[in-house]
Amino acid sequence: MKIRKAIVPIAGKGTRFLPATKEIAKEIIPIINVPMIHYIVEEAVNAGIEQIVFVTAAGKFSVEDYFDRNLELEHFLERNKKSKELELVRRIGTMVEVTSVRQKEQLGLGHAVLCAKDVIGDEPFAILLGDDIVRNPKPAIQQLIEVSEARSGAAVIGVMEVSASETDKYGIVKGDIIDEKTLKMTGMVEKPRPQDAPTNLATPGRYILPPEIFSILRTIPKGAGNEYQLTDAINILCQQRDVFAYRFEGERFDTGNVLGYLEATVDFALKDPEIRDKFLATIKTRLQKNGLSL
Ligand code: G1P
């Protein structure tokens, strides 16, 4: 069955980006001039996803507005013959069908995913977490979709290697090696201490899951951090169905924290041919002015 829908949870308060997030949704904070959420939605759209299901909370209307048409702005740009800008604005407003469901209490990622159950219905779906931006010619989520299709629609969880000191920031998978990129999963554990981690393969927010996950999510108790964890539901799913972990290709940025966000900003600027040279010159000047060298 084709993967047509993707859940993108955006209900988090973005406390690491306070005070900006006192007033604006974290997802709208731009990397250069493009909101972070744009990269996530674009990854899904480029992978053939037709509908994005945002799991939202109060104060997130700007994300929904961003992917909607803005006719007043379009008319303004048209009148002022700004055809390039007009095309850009129109493209964003029509790039994908967006649906929102509300998570009324922040009870964890498992709970957020369960909130989207009725919109997803009885079909397999993708999840993309907004704090992880992955850049690759072939979108990371498309790589997972292809693995799922090649394995009769099995669940596939995207993984990457992390250092031992970082296992307590992620869901960590375990299983049997199938090939250099694929693991047949036997389980998963949320944010284990390094000494308890079964592997160093972490899940940076890309999942293909079957609708059966919803009935599991309904039954799990609260887990790590006293929250309903998607990890715990996937752990149970591994006992019921084939679940694979796949080491996808792509450069991943953890834009959920300020340093990762800065890293993404610098990298995106260096990869932008229109900005690169002037940006490099600016960095050089700034290093000098601050008495620093590399
Ligand atoms: C969540 C998930 C975790 C996953 C991580 C990826 O944790 O619970 O399994 O590895 O996202 O960013 P959070 O970062 O929301 O605490």
Side-chain angles (χ1 to χ4, degrees), residues 45-79:
V45 170
N46 288 344
I49 296 290
E50 295 161 13
Q51 184 181 3
I52 300 289
V53 186
F54 286 126
V55 182
T56 71
K60 300 287 180 165
F61 62 89
S62 52
V63 177
E64 291 154 270
D65 284 354
Y66 180 78
F67 291 103
D68 199 354
R69 299 281 297 273
N70 181 339
L71 295 181
E72 202 188 325
L73 178 61
E74 287 181 25
H75 290 150
F76 172 84
L77 295 171
E78 207 164 11
R79 275 200 311 275

Short mmCIF file of all heavy atoms in Angstrom, two decimals, residues 45-79:
data_model
loop_
_atom_site.label_atom_id
_atom_site.label_comp_id
_atom_site.label_asym_id
_atom_site.label_seq_id
_atom_site.Cartn_x
_atom_site.Cartn_y
_atom_site.Cartn_z
N VAL A 45 7.24 15.79 0.81
CA VAL A 45 6.62 16.02 -0.50
C VAL A 45 7.50 15.43 -1.60
O VAL A 45 7.02 14.77 -2.53
CB VAL A 45 6.37 17.53 -0.72
CG1 VAL A 45 5.97 17.82 -2.16
CG2 VAL A 45 5.30 18.03 0.25
N ASN A 46 8.81 15.65 -1.49
CA ASN A 46 9.73 15.09 -2.50
C ASN A 46 9.73 13.57 -2.51
O ASN A 46 10.15 12.94 -3.48
CB ASN A 46 11.15 15.61 -2.29
CG ASN A 46 11.28 17.07 -2.67
OD1 ASN A 46 10.43 17.61 -3.36
ND2 ASN A 46 12.34 17.72 -2.21
N ALA A 47 9.26 12.98 -1.42
CA ALA A 47 9.18 11.51 -1.34
C ALA A 47 7.81 11.00 -1.78
O ALA A 47 7.52 9.82 -1.66
CB ALA A 47 9.48 11.06 0.09
N GLY A 48 6.95 11.89 -2.25
CA GLY A 48 5.65 11.46 -2.76
C GLY A 48 4.52 11.51 -1.75
O GLY A 48 3.40 11.06 -2.03
N ILE A 49 4.78 12.05 -0.55
CA ILE A 49 3.71 12.17 0.46
C ILE A 49 2.68 13.20 -0.02
O ILE A 49 3.05 14.27 -0.50
CB ILE A 49 4.31 12.61 1.82
CG1 ILE A 49 5.26 11.55 2.37
CG2 ILE A 49 3.21 12.98 2.82
CD1 ILE A 49 4.63 10.27 2.85
N GLU A 50 1.39 12.86 0.13
CA GLU A 50 0.33 13.73 -0.39
C GLU A 50 -0.36 14.55 0.69
O GLU A 50 -0.99 15.56 0.42
CB GLU A 50 -0.73 12.87 -1.10
CG GLU A 50 -0.18 12.18 -2.33
CD GLU A 50 -1.04 11.00 -2.76
OE1 GLU A 50 -2.18 10.86 -2.27
OE2 GLU A 50 -0.55 10.21 -3.59
N GLN A 51 -0.27 14.08 1.93
CA GLN A 51 -0.96 14.80 3.00
C GLN A 51 -0.08 14.85 4.25
O GLN A 51 0.42 13.83 4.72
CB GLN A 51 -2.29 14.10 3.33
CG GLN A 51 -3.12 14.84 4.36
CD GLN A 51 -4.42 14.12 4.69
OE1 GLN A 51 -4.70 13.04 4.20
NE2 GLN A 51 -5.21 14.73 5.55
N ILE A 52 0.06 16.05 4.79
CA ILE A 52 0.81 16.23 6.04
C ILE A 52 -0.20 16.40 7.17
O ILE A 52 -1.13 17.22 7.06
CB ILE A 52 1.70 17.50 5.98
CG1 ILE A 52 2.71 17.42 4.83
CG2 ILE A 52 2.39 17.75 7.32
CD1 ILE A 52 3.82 16.43 5.00
N VAL A 53 -0.02 15.63 8.22
CA VAL A 53 -0.88 15.76 9.40
C VAL A 53 -0.06 16.37 10.53
O VAL A 53 0.79 15.69 11.12
CB VAL A 53 -1.46 14.39 9.83
CG1 VAL A 53 -2.46 14.57 10.95
CG2 VAL A 53 -2.07 13.65 8.64
N PHE A 54 -0.27 17.65 10.78
CA PHE A 54 0.44 18.29 11.88
C PHE A 54 -0.28 17.98 13.18
O PHE A 54 -1.51 18.09 13.26
CB PHE A 54 0.45 19.82 11.71
CG PHE A 54 1.39 20.31 10.64
CD1 PHE A 54 0.94 21.14 9.63
CD2 PHE A 54 2.74 19.98 10.68
CE1 PHE A 54 1.80 21.61 8.65
CE2 PHE A 54 3.61 20.45 9.71
CZ PHE A 54 3.15 21.27 8.69
N VAL A 55 0.47 17.57 14.19
CA VAL A 55 -0.10 17.45 15.53
C VAL A 55 0.32 18.71 16.27
O VAL A 55 1.50 18.90 16.55
CB VAL A 55 0.40 16.18 16.25
CG1 VAL A 55 -0.26 16.07 17.63
CG2 VAL A 55 0.11 14.94 15.42
N THR A 56 -0.65 19.57 16.52
CA THR A 56 -0.32 20.93 16.97
C THR A 56 -0.76 21.19 18.41
O THR A 56 -1.38 20.35 19.06
CB THR A 56 -1.02 21.98 16.08
OG1 THR A 56 -2.42 21.95 16.37
CG2 THR A 56 -0.81 21.73 14.61
N ALA A 57 -0.45 22.38 18.86
CA ALA A 57 -0.92 22.87 20.16
C ALA A 57 -1.17 24.36 20.01
O ALA A 57 -0.94 24.92 18.93
CB ALA A 57 0.15 22.60 21.22
N ALA A 58 -1.56 25.00 21.08
CA ALA A 58 -1.82 26.44 21.02
C ALA A 58 -0.58 27.18 20.50
O ALA A 58 0.55 26.79 20.79
CB ALA A 58 -2.16 26.93 22.43
N GLY A 59 -0.82 28.21 19.73
CA GLY A 59 0.29 29.05 19.27
C GLY A 59 0.99 28.57 18.02
O GLY A 59 2.03 29.10 17.63
N LYS A 60 0.44 27.55 17.35
CA LYS A 60 1.12 26.99 16.17
C LYS A 60 0.41 27.34 14.86
O LYS A 60 0.71 26.77 13.83
CB LYS A 60 1.21 25.46 16.31
CG LYS A 60 1.99 25.01 17.53
CD LYS A 60 3.48 25.23 17.36
CE LYS A 60 4.23 24.76 18.61
NZ LYS A 60 5.66 24.62 18.40
N PHE A 61 -0.56 28.28 14.95
CA PHE A 61 -1.32 28.61 13.73
C PHE A 61 -0.43 29.09 12.60
O PHE A 61 -0.73 28.92 11.43
CB PHE A 61 -2.39 29.66 14.05
CG PHE A 61 -1.79 30.95 14.53
CD1 PHE A 61 -1.45 31.93 13.61
CD2 PHE A 61 -1.56 31.17 15.87
CE1 PHE A 61 -0.86 33.11 14.04
CE2 PHE A 61 -0.97 32.35 16.30
CZ PHE A 61 -0.62 33.32 15.39
N SER A 62 0.73 29.70 12.94
CA SER A 62 1.59 30.25 11.89
C SER A 62 2.14 29.14 10.99
O SER A 62 2.43 29.38 9.81
CB SER A 62 2.73 31.07 12.49
OG SER A 62 3.40 30.33 13.47
N VAL A 63 2.28 27.93 11.53
CA VAL A 63 2.77 26.82 10.70
C VAL A 63 1.70 26.44 9.67
O VAL A 63 2.00 26.26 8.49
CB VAL A 63 3.14 25.59 11.57
CG1 VAL A 63 3.58 24.43 10.70
CG2 VAL A 63 4.21 25.95 12.58
N GLU A 64 0.44 26.39 10.14
CA GLU A 64 -0.66 26.09 9.20
C GLU A 64 -0.79 27.21 8.17
O GLU A 64 -0.95 26.96 6.97
CB GLU A 64 -1.97 25.92 9.97
CG GLU A 64 -1.98 24.66 10.82
CD GLU A 64 -2.91 24.79 12.01
OE1 GLU A 64 -2.45 25.23 13.08
OE2 GLU A 64 -4.10 24.46 11.87
N ASP A 65 -0.69 28.45 8.62
CA ASP A 65 -0.78 29.58 7.70
C ASP A 65 0.33 29.55 6.66
O ASP A 65 0.12 29.90 5.50
CB ASP A 65 -0.69 30.91 8.47
CG ASP A 65 -1.99 31.24 9.18
OD1 ASP A 65 -2.99 30.49 8.99
OD2 ASP A 65 -2.03 32.23 9.93
N TYR A 66 1.51 29.15 7.08
CA TYR A 66 2.67 29.16 6.18
C TYR A 66 2.41 28.27 4.96
O TYR A 66 2.80 28.62 3.85
CB TYR A 66 3.92 28.68 6.93
CG TYR A 66 5.16 28.65 6.06
CD1 TYR A 66 5.86 29.81 5.76
CD2 TYR A 66 5.61 27.44 5.51
CE1 TYR A 66 6.99 29.78 4.94
CE2 TYR A 66 6.72 27.40 4.69
CZ TYR A 66 7.41 28.57 4.42
OH TYR A 66 8.52 28.54 3.60
N PHE A 67 1.73 27.14 5.17
CA PHE A 67 1.50 26.21 4.05
C PHE A 67 0.14 26.47 3.37
O PHE A 67 -0.29 25.70 2.53
CB PHE A 67 1.59 24.75 4.53
CG PHE A 67 3.01 24.38 4.90
CD1 PHE A 67 3.40 24.31 6.22
CD2 PHE A 67 3.96 24.16 3.91
CE1 PHE A 67 4.71 24.00 6.56
CE2 PHE A 67 5.26 23.86 4.23
CZ PHE A 67 5.65 23.78 5.56
N ASP A 68 -0.50 27.57 3.74
CA ASP A 68 -1.77 27.95 3.12
C ASP A 68 -1.48 29.03 2.07
O ASP A 68 -0.39 29.60 2.03
CB ASP A 68 -2.70 28.50 4.21
CG ASP A 68 -4.16 28.50 3.79
OD1 ASP A 68 -4.44 28.17 2.62
OD2 ASP A 68 -5.00 28.85 4.64
N ARG A 69 -2.47 29.31 1.21
CA ARG A 69 -2.32 30.44 0.28
C ARG A 69 -2.40 31.74 1.09
O ARG A 69 -3.07 31.80 2.11
CB ARG A 69 -3.46 30.44 -0.75
CG ARG A 69 -3.52 29.22 -1.64
CD ARG A 69 -2.53 29.24 -2.77
NE ARG A 69 -2.69 30.31 -3.74
CZ ARG A 69 -3.47 30.27 -4.82
NH1 ARG A 69 -4.20 29.22 -5.06
NH2 ARG A 69 -3.52 31.29 -5.67
N ASN A 70 -1.74 32.77 0.61
CA ASN A 70 -1.88 34.11 1.16
C ASN A 70 -2.21 35.03 -0.01
O ASN A 70 -1.33 35.58 -0.66
CB ASN A 70 -0.58 34.53 1.87
CG ASN A 70 -0.68 35.92 2.49
OD1 ASN A 70 -1.53 36.72 2.10
ND2 ASN A 70 0.17 36.20 3.46
N LEU A 71 -3.51 35.12 -0.30
CA LEU A 71 -3.96 35.80 -1.52
C LEU A 71 -3.61 37.28 -1.51
O LEU A 71 -3.26 37.85 -2.54
CB LEU A 71 -5.47 35.58 -1.72
CG LEU A 71 -5.87 34.12 -1.97
CD1 LEU A 71 -7.36 34.00 -2.19
CD2 LEU A 71 -5.12 33.51 -3.16
N GLU A 72 -3.68 37.87 -0.34
CA GLU A 72 -3.37 39.30 -0.25
C GLU A 72 -1.91 39.54 -0.66
O GLU A 72 -1.61 40.44 -1.45
CB GLU A 72 -3.61 39.75 1.19
CG GLU A 72 -3.82 41.23 1.31
CD GLU A 72 -3.86 41.67 2.77
OE1 GLU A 72 -4.36 40.90 3.61
OE2 GLU A 72 -3.37 42.77 3.05
N LEU A 73 -1.03 38.72 -0.12
CA LEU A 73 0.39 38.84 -0.48
C LEU A 73 0.60 38.53 -1.97
O LEU A 73 1.36 39.22 -2.66
CB LEU A 73 1.22 37.90 0.40
CG LEU A 73 2.72 37.85 0.13
CD1 LEU A 73 3.37 39.23 0.34
CD2 LEU A 73 3.42 36.83 1.04
N GLU A 74 -0.09 37.51 -2.45
CA GLU A 74 0.05 37.15 -3.87
C GLU A 74 -0.37 38.32 -4.77
O GLU A 74 0.32 38.66 -5.74
CB GLU A 74 -0.78 35.90 -4.20
CG GLU A 74 -0.17 34.62 -3.62
CD GLU A 74 -0.97 33.37 -3.96
OE1 GLU A 74 -1.68 33.37 -4.98
OE2 GLU A 74 -0.88 32.40 -3.19
N HIS A 75 -1.49 38.96 -4.44
CA HIS A 75 -1.96 40.11 -5.24
C HIS A 75 -0.96 41.25 -5.17
O HIS A 75 -0.65 41.89 -6.18
CB HIS A 75 -3.32 40.59 -4.73
CG HIS A 75 -4.42 39.62 -5.04
ND1 HIS A 75 -5.54 39.46 -4.27
CD2 HIS A 75 -4.55 38.71 -6.05
CE1 HIS A 75 -6.31 38.51 -4.78
NE2 HIS A 75 -5.73 38.04 -5.86
N PHE A 76 -0.42 41.48 -3.98
CA PHE A 76 0.57 42.54 -3.80
C PHE A 76 1.79 42.29 -4.69
O PHE A 76 2.26 43.18 -5.40
CB PHE A 76 0.98 42.61 -2.32
CG PHE A 76 2.12 43.53 -2.05
CD1 PHE A 76 1.90 44.90 -1.88
CD2 PHE A 76 3.42 43.05 -1.98
CE1 PHE A 76 2.97 45.76 -1.64
CE2 PHE A 76 4.49 43.90 -1.75
CZ PHE A 76 4.26 45.26 -1.57
N LEU A 77 2.27 41.06 -4.65
CA LEU A 77 3.47 40.73 -5.45
C LEU A 77 3.16 40.83 -6.94
O LEU A 77 4.01 41.26 -7.74
CB LEU A 77 3.97 39.31 -5.09
CG LEU A 77 4.48 39.15 -3.64
CD1 LEU A 77 4.74 37.68 -3.32
CD2 LEU A 77 5.76 39.95 -3.42
N GLU A 78 1.95 40.42 -7.30
CA GLU A 78 1.53 40.49 -8.71
C GLU A 78 1.50 41.94 -9.19
O GLU A 78 2.06 42.27 -10.24
CB GLU A 78 0.14 39.86 -8.82
CG GLU A 78 -0.15 39.28 -10.18
CD GLU A 78 -1.36 38.34 -10.12
OE1 GLU A 78 -2.08 38.31 -9.10
OE2 GLU A 78 -1.57 37.64 -11.12
N ARG A 79 0.85 42.78 -8.37
CA ARG A 79 0.74 44.21 -8.73
C ARG A 79 2.11 44.86 -8.87
O ARG A 79 2.32 45.73 -9.69
CB ARG A 79 -0.05 44.95 -7.64
CG ARG A 79 -1.55 44.90 -7.80
CD ARG A 79 -2.24 46.02 -7.01
NE ARG A 79 -1.80 46.13 -5.64
CZ ARG A 79 -2.29 45.41 -4.62
NH1 ARG A 79 -3.24 44.54 -4.84
NH2 ARG A 79 -1.83 45.58 -3.40
#
